[in-house]
């Protein structure tokens, strides 16, 4: 089963400024990367234990500053190619029909810092992921209230945050093709795990696009505009593209690729985070997800020998699923790995495929353990 409902065209454009900060590097981590890594954070891998990630442990990625919005004076504008423009405050949104949906969000740049050379941007390792239950108004319901015109092709979502990227002054904005925007499971969320959104996750309202990499889920939503031509904003036409090099127009980043992660067994060394565990039986556990099709299998590698794990049903079609495999650890050094396959037949690569912006690196995770 494939969840693709559209083939996305890539708008052509000329030579583009580096979307983040210049040419990829073989050098050590820069002060700018450290600064980004300290502002944004990933999910500690031990949080893979639970179906739902507590808000404070969910990964975080903000391009600019967090806007602190006074919800009393905030409203959402819906306009463009619609029959009736709408302005809705939080009270009106809370009175509208609501849905709750568990969604695994992952940043498209997850795995970037492992690439050689390393694209300079948020230097994620493997943990830029989290699963929350998002509650709010179905986007399709509000678009129906507004009445989308027949010649609409895309819907653009604009956040209240702004800044500079690639030398371009901008508000954070992303679009969806109209066919995607009309999906019944896209939510304008005012609750995360049953509480008001925290400021850093988009208070008072954000978009959540199940199955797409995180950049599609625009936070601090201020307006929704229906367009009769494709959106060419920076985060659409320049950033978030799979490019060979700076001169390649590339293809857009869309759906989350299949990935699995393991809870590192045993205990870590504080500084190196290398793992130590006693000999004997240990249950290896983790989670797997894909935006493109349901996870069909997870294989666990122990010193290069692959064994299928037990895979559980996820809490919803776009939530990660738990997997487990018992292991009897014998004394010595071992390398553990996990590798998921989804219903489209996509499988995580053993060797990473490099691209200029460091997008969609779903290479298998490898964990070195010392068994005592
Ligand atoms: N307005 C706005 N929305 C945004 C962003 C942003 O910087 N500004 N970052 C995007 C990116 S790149 C990701 S991966 C997700 C992260 O969502 P989270 O911080 O709630 O995990 O939000 C997306 N929505
Ligand atoms: Mo992201």
């Amino acid at each position: 089963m494939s969840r693709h409902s559209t083939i996305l065209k890539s708008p052509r454009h000329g030579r583009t400024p580096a979307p983040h900060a210049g040419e990829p590097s073989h050098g050590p981590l820069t002060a700018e990367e450290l600064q980004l890594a300290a502002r944004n954070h990933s999910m500690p891998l031990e949080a893979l234990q639970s179906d739902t990630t507590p808000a404070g442990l969910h990964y975080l990625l903000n391009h600019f500053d967090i806007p602190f919005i006074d919800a009393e004076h905030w409203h959402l504008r819906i306009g463009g190619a619609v029959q009736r423009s709408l302005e809705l405050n939080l009270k009106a949104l809370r009175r509208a029909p609501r849905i709750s949906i568990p969604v695994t969000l992952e940043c498209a740049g997850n795995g970037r810092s492992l690439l050689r050379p390393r694209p300079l941007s948020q230097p994620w390792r493997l943990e830029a992921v989290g699963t929350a239950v998002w509650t709010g108004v179905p986007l399709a319901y509000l678009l129906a209230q507004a009445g989308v015109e027949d010649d609409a092709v895309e819907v653009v979502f604009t956040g209240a945050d702004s800044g500079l990227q690639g030398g371009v002054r901008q508000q954070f904005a992303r679009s969806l093709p109209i066919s995607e925007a009309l999906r019944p499971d896209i939510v304008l969320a005012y609750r995360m795990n049953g509480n008001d959104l925290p400021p850093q996750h988009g208070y008072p309202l954000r978009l959540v696009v199940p199955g797409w990499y995180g950049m599609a889920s625009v936070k601090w939503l201020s307006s929704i505009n229906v367009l009769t031509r494709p959106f060419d904003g920076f985060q659409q036409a320049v950033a978030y593209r799979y490019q060979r090099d700076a001169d390649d127009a590339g293809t857009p980043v869309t759906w989350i690729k299949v990935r699995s992660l393991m809870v590192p067994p045993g205990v870590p060394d504080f500084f190196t985070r290398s793992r130590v565990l006693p000999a004997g039986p240990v249950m290896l556990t983790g989670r797997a997800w894909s935006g493109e099709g349901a996870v069909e299998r997870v294989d666990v590698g122990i010193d290069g020998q692959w064994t299928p794990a037990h895979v559980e049903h996820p809490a919803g079609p776009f939530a990660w699923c738990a997997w487990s495999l018992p292991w009897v650890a014998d004394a010595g050094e071992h390398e553990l790995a996990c590798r998921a396959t989804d219903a489209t037949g996509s499988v995580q690569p053993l060797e990473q495929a490099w691209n200029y912006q460091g997008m969609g690196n779903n290479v298998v995770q490898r964990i070195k353990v010392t068994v005592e």
Side-chain angles (χ1 to χ4, degrees), residues 8 135 143 177 191 221-222 251 268 287 292 346:
L8 296 161
T135 301
L143 289 178
R191 288 181 162 254
L221 206 56
S222 60
T251 56
R287 302 268 165 179
E292 299 186 317
S346 293

Side-chain angles (χ1 to χ4, degrees), residues 27-325:
L29 210 70
T30 64
E32 289 81 4
E33 288 171 289
L34 174 59
Q35 182 166 248
L36 279 178
R39 276 191 63 82
N40 298 306
H41 66 79
S42 54
M43 183 195 72
L45 286 174
E46 56 273 32
L48 289 167
Q49 288 173 54
S50 28
D51 266 342
T52 305
T53 313
L57 297 183
H58 192 282
Y59 87 96
L60 182 72
L61 193 287
N62 298 330
H63 285 232
F64 309 126
D65 290 351
I66 298 170
F68 288 87
I69 295 172
D70 173 6
E72 286 292 307
H73 298 107
W74 169 93
H75 58 251
L76 173 70
R77 288 184 311 278
I78 304 182
V82 294
Q83 279 142 26
R84 296 164 292 277
S85 295
L86 304 176
E87 269 196 25
L88 297 151
N89 61 19
L90 204 52
K91 262 200 193 122
L93 289 164
R94 287 194 176 122
R95 273 197 306 267
R98 80 173 73 152
I99 54 171
S100 282
I101 157 163
V103 177
T104 298
L105 276 187
E106 181 182 6
C107 182
N110 199 14
R112 175 184 290 126
S113 77
L114 307 177
L115 295 168
R116 295 293 176 273
R118 186 179 78 258
L120 297 187
S121 180
Q122 174 71 28
W124 295 124
R125 291 169 54 85
L126 294 172
E127 306 97 325
V129 65
T131 301
V133 178
W134 300 98
T135 301
V137 188
L139 171 65
Y141 170 83
L142 287 185
L143 289 178
Q145 298 281 301
V148 172
E149 302 281 9
D150 289 341
D151 55 349
V153 296
E154 286 195 8
V155 182
V156 59
F157 305 86
T158 304
D161 52 329
S162 64
L164 287 142
Q165 195 179 328
V168 178
R169 188 84 158 82
Q170 57 190 277
Q171 265 182 285
F172 188 91
R174 286 275 315 180
S175 74
L176 289 172
I178 191 75
S179 55
E180 282 294 302
L182 295 174
R183 276 169 55 183
D185 53 2
I186 293 180
V187 58
L188 296 170
Y190 47 76
R191 288 181 162 254
M192 177 186 195
N193 298 341
N195 301 306
D196 285 353
L197 302 184
Q200 67 273 27
H201 289 292
Y203 183 82
L205 190 79
R206 77 175 299 173
L207 182 68
V208 176
V209 183
W212 282 53
Y213 278 117
M215 73 285 157
S217 294
V218 176
K219 303 194 268 193
W220 312 292
L221 206 56
S222 60
S223 68
I224 298 177
N225 252 285
V226 179
L227 304 184
T228 54
R229 48 169 182 76
F231 177 57
D232 62 358
F234 187 92
Q235 304 296 338
Q236 202 80 26
V238 182
Y240 297 105
R241 303 187 75 85
Y242 294 108
Q243 287 173 282
R244 282 186 307 276
D245 52 44
D247 296 320
D248 176 18
T251 56
V253 173
T254 56
W255 299 80
I256 298 176
K257 295 190 203 176
V258 64
R259 189 198 280 283
S260 58
L261 288 174
M262 184 185 300
V263 180
V267 295
D269 172 68
F270 166 62
F271 187 59
T272 64
R273 298 211 54 86
S274 61
R275 312 296 300 187
V276 182
L277 66 151
V282 52
M283 187 64 87
L284 301 177
T285 64
R287 302 268 165 179
W289 63 94
S290 168
E292 299 186 317
V295 170
E296 294 233 302
R297 62 182 290 159
V298 177
D299 294 287
V300 175
I302 298 168
D303 302 322
Q305 285 268 83
W306 296 93
T307 309
H310 170 70
V311 178
E312 288 172 34
H313 286 292
F318 294 99
W320 57 23
C321 58
W323 61 260
S324 57
L325 183 81

